[in-house]
Amino acid sequence: MNRTASIKDVATHAGVAVGTVSNVLNYPDRVSDRTKERVLRAIDQLGFVRNDAARQLRIGHSRTIGLIVLDVGNPFFTSVVRAAEDAAALQGSAVLLGDSGHNASREANYIDLFQEQRVQGLLISPVGDVTDRLDLLRERGVPTVLVDRLADESKFSSVAVDDDAGGYLAARHLLDTGRRRLAFVGGPTSIRQVADRLQGAQRAVKEEPDASLEVLEAEGQTVLAGRSAGNMLVARGRAELPEGIFCANDLLALGVMQSLTMTHTFRIPEDVALIGYDDIDFAASAVVPLSSVRQPTQLLGRTAIELLSEEVESQNPVHRSVVFTPELVVRQSTAAPDAG
Amino acid sequence: MNRTASIKDVATHAGVAVGTVSNVLNYPDRVSDRTKERVLRAIDQLGFVRNDAARQLRIGHSRTIGLIVLDVGNPFFTSVVRAAEDAAALQGSAVLLGDSGHNASREANYIDLFQEQRVQGLLISPVGDVTDRLDLLRERGVPTVLVDRLADESKFSSVAVDDDAGGYLAARHLLDTGRRRLAFVGGPTSIRQVADRLQGAQRAVKEEPDASLEVLEAEGQTVLAGRSAGNMLVARGRAELPEGIFCANDLLALGVMQSLTMTHTFRIPEDVALIGYDDIDFAASAVVPLSSVRQPTQLLGRTAIELLSEEVESQNPVHRSVVFTPELVVRQSTAAPDAG
DNA sequence: CAAATTTTTTGAATCGTTTCATTGGTACGA
DNA sequence: TCGTACCAATGAAACGATTCAAAAAATTTG
């Protein structure tokens, strides 16, 4: 019982040819019930497990899809990964997951590894500036779909979420519930997502002549950054407080919420309305349940797999960019002030 | 430019034999500088990428390690995964990640998939009851290390964290800071981790004749479950409030914190001390920074890979169980009452 | 300079599948 | 009975790498 059994061993043991065993595995209909049964018994007795390397070598490609994300710890990506795995499983493929951790060289390592594995294709949420590496992929002929990043449609398919629309949704919601003096709290606008969300919010505010939007730069995307932004607001006193605050993500919003409620001087949503972005698990279970903007991560993952399949099937490249619209999730933190 | 180049194409292009190309790839020292250079140039020009399936087929095993976790979304596992990936990369292997989602059939799928891939070995945090499936693995001769679960040392190596010790640490810390009437808030004690943590806490409390430990069953491991447990405590009034609360995980602790601080009647840590478990990111950035018990996840992942390597190298199975001791992380939520 | 030694290169054999043209057998209609 | 289909089963060839004994080339030694 040293070496694992091969298809040849199974054939000998069942008294048939290797081709027949292969047929049992791949085209059961071509084999008569009697021999099929015999082969299956042999497989069971020998504990045979198909060697995927040999199969791949013959077939020419694997049944795996490479997926490289920026940060598996980020709930956004975790959810995308889950959905992609499920969608891939449905079509009989498995997902190889790589975490670049925003690091270009780790990303490059995974790209090489996945190429050696002859993945059917690649889903990638690329690190920083990118054109060179992606062009290389294109040359190598690896079907690739960009995730959470728009692409030149002549070159790649991509799936993304419309952050501008998300920002608009959030700000519009604050306006619709009667708030006029708004504030945006967000990290460096050099991050595309942050800039887009702000832009969408500004677009909404421009629709109301008597509304205003103040921008508060936060030094990061964390709870602590949110708290220090919040402390700044608290220090101003009641008269200067905005009526509605839109934070570029939920962590910031939770930080702001902490500083506003900690001092017991302001109430949410009566004095200030607060809305975040991403709808992380903690949003619903915050002290005051946090309104937020939810990205359709499931749909994102599933669609990415579908676009990749399209690329794999047809050889003439017809790339598509799919942009999803995020969804407003209303909770107590933005309840209308008169209703309170 | 249709098919990807093979080692044969490279050999032809460089005017050498296939064996030479292989040597350049695997034993560069055996090849003279002149031909090495010629081969490398050919590789570059043809965009050759080694076909790992063919390599594997010949070698007999892959350079990958399978890792099946219960929940990639759980920060505990995310951290273990990261560490395992890094440790594996250091020894030239890659990690194939599978997420069973506490689902036995998904787990079984991954086990099969990984076996077809001829992984070098398997790290697994198994779902529920387990003996049958793991015995099967043993029979098949797949080197396996259990993660976060103790194993019969005659059968498997394993890495785990001593939850009893963690519970002891937490309770001992509350006692050391002068608290006597303690409470434990935790999910169903059918979960091994919860039961062990409670047991450790009880052990610590028994060391102090005048100390007591009350057990509050929570209906889950979530913020909301913590909040309802907290509400129950608040309803009792000040006299009945325990002096120190130990929660089976940080989410519960954050929930308890919310209900205690929300009502503005109790202060942490002056009126009640609060300590959680896991040291998730949110612990440090809570309204009152939360003391917690940190599990050495990095070490866990790294050690798991090391144990697996041992199993892979030697054929006579000498299994080892490594149990780590968690670490106390003291923050404001358990500051000594006199110091406040 | 020839012999001995070392270094470099060669190429056929091999790993375990899938594929597919071929063979053997059976049934049916003429 | 023969010819024609059809169905099952066969087994050699191919996929692309690594290995290794043997040949070739380069270097050292006497």
Side-chain angles (χ1 to χ4, degrees):
Chain A
M1 252 304 249
N2 223 343
R3 213 174 83 292
T4 66
S6 79
I7 216 177
K8 207 165 171 180
D9 301 323
V10 174
T12 311
H13 196 266
V16 299
V18 290
T20 305
V21 178
S22 175
N23 281 335
V24 171
L25 259 31
N26 301 301
Y27 307 94
D29 296 348
R30 292 189 192 164
V31 180
S32 75
D33 287 349
R34 225 170 58 85
T35 56
K36 185 164 22 183
E37 200 193 323
R38 224 150 25 112
V39 169
L40 289 176
R41 188 165 37 239
I43 286 178
D44 201 49
Q45 283 173 5
L46 298 178
F48 166 79
V49 177
R50 191 213 254 108
N51 184 328
D52 199 58
R55 150 179 263 243
Q56 239 183 82
L57 174 58
R58 182 58 229 241
I59 301 285
H61 62 88
S62 71
R63 291 168 307 153
T64 55
I65 291 168
L67 169 52
I68 304 178
V69 299
L70 290 170
D71 177 10
V72 277
N74 183 328
F76 172 80
F77 285 115
T78 310
S79 176
V80 171
V81 169
R82 283 260 175 98
E85 281 181 343
D86 289 344
L90 229 58
Q91 61 168 51
S93 303
V95 170
L96 298 184
L97 182 59
D99 178 6
S100 69
H102 292 272
N103 177 330
S105 87
R106 289 189 63 151
E107 178 183 273
N109 279 343
Y110 275 114
I111 291 178
D112 287 349
L113 177 66
F114 289 166
Q115 249 190 108
E116 289 193 1
Q117 308 270 359
R118 295 294 190 271
V119 293
Q120 294 180 293
L122 199 56
L123 306 184
I124 183 172
S125 187
V127 175
D129 198 14
V130 115
T131 36
D132 307 358
R133 275 166 299 137
L134 292 189
D135 275 349
L136 197 65
L137 272 178
R138 237 163 62 78
E139 272 176 32
R140 296 260 181 86
V142 182
T144 301
V145 172
L146 303 193
V147 175
D148 198 33
R149 156 117 34 173
L150 284 174
D152 181 348
E153 238 181 280
S154 70
K155 295 185 167 182
F156 291 103
S157 282
S158 63
V159 292
V161 179
D162 188 340
D163 284 291
D164 177 279
Y168 179 87
L169 264 182
R172 190 66 252 172
H173 172 59
L174 292 176
L175 295 166
D176 287 347
T177 53
R179 280 86 183 188
R180 280 299 168 270
R181 282 180 298 112
L182 306 187
F184 173 85
V185 176
T189 47
S190 59
I191 298 180
R192 203 253 313 142
Q193 278 85 348
V194 175
D196 285 2
R197 289 168 197 178
L198 171 56
Q199 183 186 308
Q202 286 168 329
R203 191 156 56 82
V205 169
K206 282 212 189 86
E207 293 177 354
E208 302 292 332
D210 57 339
S212 66
L213 180 72
E214 173 189 7
V215 177
L216 296 173
E217 184 95 2
E219 71 265 28
Q221 309 258 51
T222 64
V223 175
L224 290 180
R227 197 147 67 203
S228 65
N231 286 337
M232 220 163 66
L233 286 169
V234 169
R236 291 184 181 179
R238 179 167 297 258
E240 306 279 333
L241 201 69
E243 298 163 321
I245 304 175
F246 168 36
C247 296
N249 80 11
D250 284 345
L251 296 180
L252 285 167
L254 291 173
V256 170
M257 183 183 294
Q258 283 180 2
S259 47
L260 292 187
T261 58
M262 209 157 36
T263 56
H264 310 327
T265 39
F266 301 115
R267 291 165 307 158
I268 298 173
E270 292 83 353
D271 299 321
V272 202
L274 185 63
I275 186 167
Y277 207 107
D278 281 346
D279 192 31
I280 64 177
D281 284 345
F282 274 94
S285 54
V287 178
V288 180
L290 181 70
S291 295
S292 192
V293 177
R294 181 189 300 159
Q295 312 201 56
T297 49
Q298 309 268 335
L299 207 49
L300 211 63
R302 192 170 355 125
T303 308
I305 294 285
E306 281 165 14
L307 288 183
L308 187 61
S309 296
E310 285 182 18
E311 300 247 339
V312 171
E313 312 276 305
S314 85
Q315 44 275 59
N316 60 329
V318 245
H319 304 303
R320 294 201 294 143
S321 288
V322 178
V323 176
F324 291 105
T325 306
E327 174 192 1
L328 187 66
V329 179
V330 177
R331 297 203 182 86
Q332 200 188 327
S333 72
T334 57
D338 24 287
Chain B
M1 252 304 249
N2 225 344
R3 215 176 80 292
T4 66
S6 78
I7 213 176
K8 206 164 169 180
D9 300 324
V10 173
T12 311
H13 196 266
V16 299
V18 290
T20 305
V21 178
S22 175
N23 282 335
V24 170
L25 259 33
N26 301 299
Y27 308 95
D29 297 348
R30 292 190 192 162
V31 181
S32 73
D33 286 350
R34 225 171 56 87
T35 57
K36 186 163 21 184
E37 198 194 325
R38 226 154 18 116
V39 170
L40 289 176
R41 186 162 43 237
I43 286 178
D44 200 49
Q45 283 174 4
L46 298 178
F48 166 77
V49 177
R50 191 212 255 107
N51 183 327
D52 200 56
R55 151 179 261 242
Q56 244 182 77
L57 175 58
R58 181 59 227 238
I59 300 287
H61 62 89
S62 70
R63 290 169 307 154
T64 55
I65 291 167
L67 169 52
I68 304 177
V69 299
L70 290 169
D71 177 9
V72 276
N74 183 328
F76 172 80
F77 285 116
T78 310
S79 176
V80 172
V81 169
R82 283 261 175 97
E85 280 180 344
D86 289 343
L90 229 58
Q91 62 169 50
S93 303
V95 170
L96 298 184
L97 182 60
D99 179 6
S100 68
H102 293 272
N103 177 330
S105 86
R106 289 190 62 152
E107 178 184 274
N109 278 345
Y110 274 115
I111 290 177
D112 287 349
L113 177 66
F114 289 167
Q115 249 189 108
E116 289 193 1
Q117 307 271 359
R118 296 292 190 271
V119 294
Q120 293 180 295
L122 199 56
L123 306 184
I124 182 171
S125 188
V127 175
D129 198 14
V130 114
T131 36
D132 309 358
R133 274 166 299 138
L134 292 189
D135 275 348
L136 199 66
L137 272 178
R138 238 163 62 78
E139 271 175 35
R140 296 260 181 84
V142 182
T144 301
V145 172
L146 303 194
V147 176
D148 200 32
R149 156 116 35 170
L150 285 174
D152 182 348
E153 239 181 280
S154 70
K155 295 184 166 183
F156 291 103
S157 284
S158 63
V159 292
V161 179
D162 189 340
D163 283 291
D164 178 279
Y168 179 87
L169 264 183
R172 190 66 252 174
H173 172 59
L174 292 176
L175 294 166
D176 287 346
T177 53
R179 279 87 184 187
R180 281 299 169 268
R181 281 180 299 110
L182 306 187
F184 174 85
V185 177
T189 47
S190 58
I191 297 179
R192 203 253 313 144
Q193 278 85 348
V194 175
D196 286 2
R197 288 168 198 177
L198 171 56
Q199 183 185 309
Q202 286 169 329
R203 191 157 55 81
V205 169
K206 282 214 189 82
E207 293 176 354
E208 303 290 332
D210 57 339
S212 66
L213 181 72
E214 173 188 5
V215 177
L216 296 174
E217 184 96 359
E219 71 265 29
Q221 310 257 52
T222 63
V223 174
L224 290 180
R227 197 147 68 202
S228 64
N231 287 337
M232 220 164 67
L233 286 170
V234 169
R236 292 183 180 180
R238 178 168 299 257
E240 305 281 330
L241 201 70
E243 298 164 319
I245 303 175
F246 168 37
C247 295
N249 80 13
D250 285 345
L251 296 180
L252 284 168
L254 292 173
V256 170
M257 183 183 292
Q258 284 179 1
S259 47
L260 293 187
T261 57
M262 209 157 38
T263 56
H264 309 331
T265 40
F266 301 115
R267 291 165 308 158
I268 297 173
E270 291 83 353
D271 299 320
V272 203
L274 187 62
I275 185 167
Y277 207 106
D278 282 345
D279 193 32
I280 64 177
D281 285 345
F282 273 94
S285 54
V287 178
V288 181
L290 181 70
S291 296
S292 192
V293 177
R294 179 189 298 157
Q295 312 202 56
T297 47
Q298 309 268 334
L299 208 49
L300 210 62
R302 193 171 352 126
T303 309
I305 293 285
E306 281 166 14
L307 288 183
L308 187 61
S309 296
E310 284 181 18
E311 301 246 339
V312 171
E313 312 275 305
S314 85
Q315 45 275 60
N316 59 331
V318 244
H319 304 303
R320 294 200 294 144
S321 288
V322 178
V323 177
F324 291 104
T325 306
E327 176 192 359
L328 187 66
V329 180
V330 178
R331 297 204 181 87
Q332 199 188 326
S333 73
T334 58
D338 24 287

